[in-house]
Amino acid sequence: VPDPATTPQIKGKPRLLLMGQRRSGKSSISSVVFHKLPPSETLFLESTARIQKDSLNSFMDIQVWDFPGQIDIFDNPNFTFDMDAIFGEIGALIWVIDAQDDYLEAVARLNSTILHLQRGYPHINIEVFIHKVDGLSDDYKLDIQRDVTIRIQDELSDQGVENAPVNFHLTSIYNHSIFEAFSKVIQKLIPRLGQLEAMLTNLCRTCRFEKAYLFDVNTKIYIATDSTPEDMASYEICSDYVDVIIDFTEVYGSWPRSPQWRARLEQPPWNQSLEDQVACEWAESGLVLSDAQRPIMLREVDRFLALVAIMKEGSYDKMPQINMNVDVVVKGLTEFFDITKPKEGGRVQQQKILQPGKGR
Amino acid sequence: HLRKVKKQKVLLMGKSGSGKSSMRSIIFSNYLARDTRRLGATIDIDLSHVKFLGNLTLNLWDCGGQEAFMENYLSQQRAHVFSNVGVLIYVFDIESRDVERDLATYVNIISALVQYSREAKLFVLIHKMDLIQPLTREDVFDNRVAVIRRKTAEAISIVRKLQHHPSSPAAAGQGLPDLDIDMQMFATSIWDQSLYKAWASIIHDLVPNLGVIETQLASLGVAIDADEILLFERTSFLVVSKWTSKEGDRNPYGDRFERMSNILKSWKHTCSKFTGTPRNAEQFSDFEYKMGANFSMFVTKFTTNTYILVCMPPGEARFNSAKLNVAAARPWFKFLDGPVIAPAAQ
Ligand SMILES: Nc1nc2c(ncn2[C@@H]2O[C@H](COP(=O)(O)OP(=O)(O)OP(=O)(O)O)[C@@H](O)[C@H]2O)c(=O)[nH]1
Ligand SMILES: Nc1nc2c(ncn2[C@@H]2O[C@H](COP(=O)(O)OP(=O)(O)O)[C@@H](O)[C@H]2O)c(=O)[nH]1
Ligand SMILES: [Mg+2]
């Protein structure tokens, strides 16, 4: 059992700041990732003049602040921003660059932002989203990434800054890349991530899983995976699996059945409450792919998290044993998050996430 | 009685760029919505034979919509195109700039249809609705529906006048049949489930032995204590038939059938990307979901040409017996797989 006293904790709520030029896609990103807006409907988003603050209903209390592109917080003639209030509790600064547009000005502003931050807040992770890369060829994407990286590194080293924590991600709201990028950003903010990964790695070994992910169900961000190499294809299928389950849940599980329905199901020959008729009180799901009969499984962990794993061929027969192992790991995960989560006035009743009114 | 494969001539018409080939490719050829950007304009008529279940073939006439082609259908090819039509699907692009002209063409097409295939069913799709602000979609659709109804009546009255004309042989007979037309309208977009709602209605009336399918789904539903059963065609994932219990009828999601089609079809794409097998190959055989003490469901490969979705009350024993019973019921539905002897009817 980990000792909570020795593990680093984030003070307060980690905050993600979204910055970049106007029309670079910041509002679209937060609407798609955090509010499940269909990407095609971002065309109707209006440009906002104020800072938009969102609190995430997620496994960690995360805040997302969306800054309008025209505001320059470091050099604003009308208003002096309280830098500590903005950057004091920050988790990461996400800088969005529109890859389909001329990005020189965006890069210049990013450079000056990094230099400002290096003075007062050098520990802040700077995550550059090279965005709207849908429709660009793979070669072209990499060219842009290389170009942006060089422009930033050159400028920083000219100014005598080395090893600034700057990372690059190629993203689009039209595919999984934006969720993947957010997963990477958020994972850096999780205390004791290594321990979480070790639990999943262990599970994969004992159950002969190919790959396992722990998902934040609301955002489709994965907060941990086992130690096998990154694999975009596995992430995509597991993330879509979560989506399908959320949809099934909404359509068939989000409205109350009638008392007569329940009464009939609990009378003879069953003679048991519905709760006693089920094997698992949490949501669970399994699927068999026709190709090589590879199963995929999903198991709800707590109100925010679900475990999704791709199994090896032919493991369907061993399901009872796998389920027992999964039970153990799920229990471990629950304890892990009970410790990590700051308790606010008494234990919050554990509640299921895959329940009423969770739209896509 | 031996049932032959039923063939249905289905015309797909509308202005060039309105989205006809896009829809067809998504529903029947497993295209993703974004793949349709690659489609070129259709030249003249693209004929395809879509096998739907074992005993229905759709002869799909995708008619290129450029003006020169349309004029040609109405003149030189008139009898060839408009005879023996089972269904006409007419597509309007909601963003079209020249609505008046679109409507004029529509009137001419409907006149030709009524003239040569009086029994044909008409489906009008108001398409690309995703381009309209979500809040105004309903109003925009309702307005367009009213206009199109008026234009349809106009087209029919043109034909009626022609038939009353003294030089027309038809005028000799008294009491001409009322030229009404069986017409349904849908708002559609390739970017959401609305496409599946429209196309499920289109194929619904064409499926042979529908009565038998419905009766047998109902017996199965009662036998396994289900709340809902959906039967999907395996390639398009269109809902062929469905059964809902009294309790299931309380489900507030009225759009759930097309939603399930859309979800499962895109899930199939996801699987195909992962496994690297072709999109039209079978991708999954069995999908189970148990939401604690709330409900259980499964989606399973059923007959050669269908998948079945069962939603039912929770409970381990109930679930296992339902799965066994569904497997045992497969032979009742064998007739879906080929032009064989229909089961002793209803
Ligand atoms: N936004 C939007 N675009 C669509 C929709 N349906 C189709 N499109 C696009 O419209 C364009 C034209 O589509 P097609 O299917 O080739 O049009 P068509 O009716 O077959 O045209 P012709 O063959 O010339 O008669 C394509 O770029 C599609 O991607 C839709 O629902 N919404
Ligand atoms: N092609 C493409 N367009 C995008 C993407 N993300 C956002 N957009 C579009 O970019 C435009 C501006 O987005 P918006 O979120 O308002 O930008 P903001 O000013 O940075 O908040 C909108 O029309 C979006 O639909 C993307 O990943 N790909
Ligand atoms: Mg076409």
Side-chain angles (χ1 to χ4, degrees):
Chain A
V1 179
D3 177 2
T6 61
T7 55
Q9 295 268 333
I10 293 174
K11 285 190 231 93
K13 299 181 181 186
R15 187 180 299 153
L16 302 177
L17 301 185
L18 275 170
M19 293 185 176
Q21 302 291 91
R22 288 193 58 220
R23 310 295 292 159
S24 57
K26 301 178 295 299
S27 310
S28 306
I29 291 173
S30 61
S31 312
V32 169
V33 177
F34 303 120
H35 302 288
K36 299 181 190 296
L37 189 75
S40 56
E41 289 191 10
T42 59
L43 291 172
F44 302 115
L45 283 179
E46 274 165 31
S47 175
T48 41
R50 306 208 335 267
I51 300 178
Q52 291 269 358
K53 298 180 185 174
D54 268 323
S55 231
L56 280 195
N57 184 24
S58 180
F59 75 103
M60 270 202 303
D61 288 318
I62 297 175
Q63 285 191 24
V64 181
W65 288 16
D66 177 2
F67 280 73
Q70 63 270 34
I71 295 186
D72 189 337
I73 49 170
F74 299 109
D75 184 17
N76 195 300
N78 310 318
F79 192 81
T80 315
F81 285 84
D82 176 351
M83 292 299 158
D84 264 343
I86 296 176
F87 296 108
E89 293 186 18
I90 194 181
L93 168 67
I94 296 171
W95 191 277
V96 184
I97 293 178
D98 183 345
Q100 296 191 7
D101 199 10
D102 182 11
Y103 51 75
L104 288 186
E105 197 188 329
V107 170
R109 280 190 54 202
L110 170 56
N111 274 330
S112 85
T113 304
I114 297 174
L115 291 174
H116 271 103
L117 287 181
Q118 279 297 303
R119 279 172 223 137
Y121 310 93
H123 57 279
I124 289 177
N125 289 332
I126 294 158
E127 311 281 354
V128 182
F129 285 13
I130 301 172
H131 189 58
K132 307 195 193 177
V133 294
D134 49 283
L136 305 184
S137 74
D138 284 348
D139 282 348
Y140 190 59
K141 278 187 233 178
L142 293 177
D143 280 350
I144 293 185
Q145 172 160 359
R146 207 169 301 128
D147 187 46
V148 171
T149 311
I150 288 171
R151 281 172 194 281
I152 289 168
Q153 272 161 3
D154 284 357
E155 174 72 15
L156 290 182
S157 58
D158 282 355
Q159 303 287 332
V161 176
E162 304 289 344
N163 303 325
V166 186
N167 308 287
F168 298 89
H169 311 262
L170 292 165
T171 60
S172 162
I173 52 170
Y174 286 97
N175 55 43
H176 295 78
S177 58
I178 192 69
F179 296 94
E180 247 246 322
F182 263 102
S183 302
K184 299 274 171 52
V185 170
I186 296 224
Q187 282 167 27
K188 293 188 191 134
L189 308 179
I190 296 173
R192 298 182 295 135
L193 178 68
Q195 200 182 340
L196 212 47
E197 288 173 342
M199 284 163 96
L200 296 179
T201 304
N202 236 331
L203 178 71
C204 286
R205 202 171 46 236
T206 50
C207 296
R208 301 189 66 243
F209 288 168
E210 265 178 30
K211 192 90 190 136
Y213 294 93
L214 187 61
F215 273 95
D216 180 51
V217 175
N218 276 333
T219 56
K220 286 198 299 174
I221 286 169
Y222 73 94
I223 64 172
T225 182
D226 62 287
S227 62
T228 55
E230 295 285 339
D231 174 17
M232 192 66 178
S234 309
Y235 168 67
E236 285 183 14
I237 195 167
C238 291
S239 146
D240 284 355
Y241 199 123
V242 173
D243 262 345
V244 174
I245 294 296
I246 288 177
D247 275 322
F248 285 169
T249 303
E250 183 177 1
V251 169
Y252 288 117
S254 68
W255 48 281
R257 305 302 201 264
S258 68
Q260 298 89 296
W261 179 82
R262 176 179 271 269
R264 187 178 61 77
L265 296 166
E266 294 182 342
Q267 75 190 17
W270 308 100
N271 287 323
Q272 260 183 328
S273 75
L274 286 181
E275 285 70 17
D276 291 330
Q277 293 181 36
V278 300
C280 172
E281 85 178 282
W282 302 93
E284 59 173 343
S285 168
L287 168 129
V288 184
L289 286 170
S290 299
D291 135 86
Q293 304 293 309
R294 259 183 302 181
I296 303 180
M297 58 136 276
L298 173 144
R299 183 71 159 284
E300 189 179 14
V301 173
D302 71 5
R303 54 184 300 215
F304 295 116
L305 301 171
L307 182 70
V308 186
I310 302 171
M311 306 185 213
K312 296 209 167 102
E313 279 170 44
S315 23
Y316 214 60
D317 303 337
K318 306 192 191 76
M319 260 340 258
Q321 205 196 332
I322 288 176
N323 273 331
M324 272 168 52
N325 287 323
V326 169
D327 281 344
V328 173
V329 170
V330 164
K331 194 157 168 283
L333 289 170
T334 317
E335 280 163 12
F336 182 96
F337 285 100
D338 264 358
I339 294 168
T340 304
K341 226 180 179 136
K343 293 186 184 103
E344 291 164 18
R347 262 301 278 280
V348 185
Q349 173 72 40
Q350 283 271 312
Q351 210 189 344
K352 300 183 180 187
I353 181 72
L354 291 171
Q355 256 185 8
K358 291 288 178 303
R360 243 181 149 167
Chain B
H1 32 239
L2 195 79
R3 297 279 176 115
K4 290 222 194 73
V5 175
K6 192 167 139 194
K7 287 200 175 128
Q8 281 283 356
K9 176 171 173 183
V10 177
L11 294 187
L12 198 47
M13 296 188 123
K15 200 170 78 164
S16 179
S18 58
K20 304 177 291 295
S21 308
S22 304
M23 288 194 251
R24 181 190 72 153
S25 314
I26 292 173
I27 298 282
F28 298 113
S29 311
N30 286 299
Y31 274 52
L32 289 170
R34 62 169 177 271
D35 300 337
T36 63
R37 298 198 181 112
R38 294 199 308 258
L39 288 169
T42 307
I43 303 303
D44 202 46
I45 298 173
D46 230 341
L47 244 172
S48 51
H49 305 277
V50 176
K51 240 187 114 204
F52 196 87
L53 304 175
N55 47 13
L56 172 64
T57 298
L58 303 177
N59 288 337
L60 212 53
W61 295 44
D62 180 354
C63 306
Q66 292 171 54
E67 222 153 295
F69 299 136
M70 291 289 243
E71 268 160 30
N72 189 246
Y73 309 146
L74 288 164
S75 50
Q76 270 101 314
Q77 301 197 64
R78 193 173 178 98
H80 172 62
V81 171
F82 292 99
S83 299
N84 302 313
V85 176
V87 174
L88 167 66
I89 303 166
Y90 201 93
V91 185
F92 282 99
D93 176 350
I94 192 65
E95 283 267 281
S96 164
R97 303 266 151 67
D98 202 350
V99 179
E100 283 311 311
R101 203 192 189 99
D102 293 354
L103 288 169
T105 313
Y106 172 75
V107 167
N108 290 334
I109 297 287
I110 299 305
S111 304
L113 177 75
V114 172
Q115 185 189 357
Y116 283 92
S117 298
R118 188 172 295 166
E119 301 294 311
K121 292 199 161 113
L122 170 61
F123 290 86
V124 176
L125 309 187
I126 317 288
H127 192 57
K128 303 198 187 178
M129 287 301 280
D130 57 284
L131 298 175
I132 304 294
Q133 290 264 13
L135 279 176
T136 61
R137 272 177 205 163
E138 207 176 318
D139 283 346
V140 170
F141 177 67
D142 289 347
N143 288 337
R144 199 52 66 91
V145 164
V147 174
I148 290 169
R149 279 203 189 286
R150 217 169 51 235
K151 288 290 171 183
T152 312
E154 202 174 284
I156 290 171
S157 79
I158 291 173
V159 179
R160 199 176 275 148
K161 268 197 212 109
L162 271 179
Q163 291 180 334
H164 277 290
H165 196 274
S167 67
S168 154
Q174 288 296 300
L176 280 164
D178 206 351
L179 276 178
D180 225 341
I181 193 159
D182 184 344
M183 162 156 106
Q184 294 184 50
M185 290 196 230
F186 293 91
T188 53
S189 161
I190 55 169
W191 293 103
D192 63 37
Q193 66 225 25
S194 57
L195 194 63
Y196 290 92
K197 178 178 180 153
W199 282 83
S201 307
I202 292 169
I203 58 101
H204 184 263
D205 300 341
L206 302 179
V207 172
N209 301 326
L210 202 61
V212 184
I213 302 175
E214 279 169 3
T215 316
Q216 294 189 345
L217 271 195
S219 331
L220 179 61
V222 171
I224 62 176
D225 216 348
D227 280 327
E228 187 147 279
I229 300 187
L230 308 182
L231 190 68
F232 300 100
E233 194 272 332
R234 72 170 187 138
T235 313
S236 61
F237 263 98
L238 292 171
V239 174
V240 176
S241 182
K242 52 189 186 253
W243 173 84
T244 307
S245 75
K246 241 174 93 186
E247 185 70 19
D249 260 336
R250 297 177 58 246
N251 191 326
Y253 293 90
D255 62 353
R256 61 188 183 278
F257 312 112
E258 56 268 23
R259 218 169 135 174
M260 288 298 141
S261 294
N262 196 16
I263 293 166
L264 290 169
K265 185 102 174 231
S266 57
W267 173 246
K268 204 174 129 190
H269 283 141
T270 300
C271 294
S272 127
K273 207 169 156 202
F274 180 72
T275 61
T277 53
R279 277 181 193 164
N280 56 0
E282 179 191 312
Q283 289 298 339
F284 67 95
S285 49
D286 194 23
F287 195 161
E288 297 182 350
Y289 176 41
K290 299 171 190 164
M291 190 197 165
N294 284 273
F295 79 97
S296 302
M297 66 182 285
F298 56 89
V299 186
T300 306
K301 187 78 202 297
F302 192 48
T303 66
T304 309
N305 291 307
T306 58
Y307 275 82
I308 195 168
L309 176 155
V310 174
C311 170
M312 56 181 304
E316 213 60 26
R318 201 174 279 118
F319 189 83
N320 295 337
S321 100
K323 287 204 83 171
L324 288 175
N325 277 307
V326 165
R330 278 193 185 113
W332 310 355
F333 290 86
K334 262 244 128 30
F335 67 96
L336 290 172
D337 289 338
V340 290
I341 299 162
Q346 18 298 41

